[in-house]
Amino acid sequence: GVITFAVGLVPDFAPAVAKAFPWFGRVCFLFGAIFFTAGGIAECVENEVFISFSLTTGWVGAVLNTLGGLGYLVGAVLYCWPELNFCGSFAFGVGSAIFITGSGLMIMMWKDEQFG
């Protein structure tokens, strides 16, 4: 997801790409958001989120990473309509805030050598 988002920034630094392929960045952001969401879902499967309610640090971190990915996905979909760019930016902001919280939990697990 991260690499796809970075590729999506190319039109911001290369105006010729933006003129030739106006949807290039939006498509990259959409695929990156899909990859982030898929990674969060895989993490949920690994931590048995869908079959348990254990509320361990790994369980909560997996849920937060999935919700952050969904926030990015909503933002990327909304970016497909230029009149909804503010709503898309807001969704990206909410997704980022959720990712920050989930990443904080993952750092706590890493410090305790619990990589679950």
Side-chain angles (χ1 to χ4, degrees):
V2 173
I3 294 171
T4 310
F5 266 83
V7 171
L9 293 174
V10 167
D12 292 339
F13 298 104
V17 174
K19 286 182 182 179
F21 307 103
W23 286 87
F24 182 79
R26 296 174 199 268
V27 170
C28 288
F29 290 155
L30 181 62
F31 278 108
I34 289 169
F35 295 149
F36 275 127
T37 304
I41 290 171
E43 198 174 343
C44 283
V45 169
E46 178 70 25
N47 285 288
E48 300 177 347
V49 168
F50 302 118
I51 60 173
S52 71
F53 192 70
S54 61
L55 291 178
T56 62
T57 308
W59 192 95
V60 174
V63 169
L64 289 174
N65 283 338
T66 303
L67 292 175
L70 287 172
Y72 276 24
L73 186 59
V74 168
V77 169
L78 291 175
Y79 265 2
C80 291
W81 292 276
E83 62 273 7
L84 296 176
N85 276 350
F86 176 78
C87 295
S89 294
F90 185 78
F92 274 120
V94 170
S96 295
I98 295 171
F99 267 130
I100 287 170
T101 308
S103 297
L105 289 174
M106 295 300 167
I107 289 172
M108 287 174 32
M109 289 176 57
W110 174 73
K111 280 179 54 180
D112 295 335
E113 296 183 11
Q114 299 173 357
F115 303 109

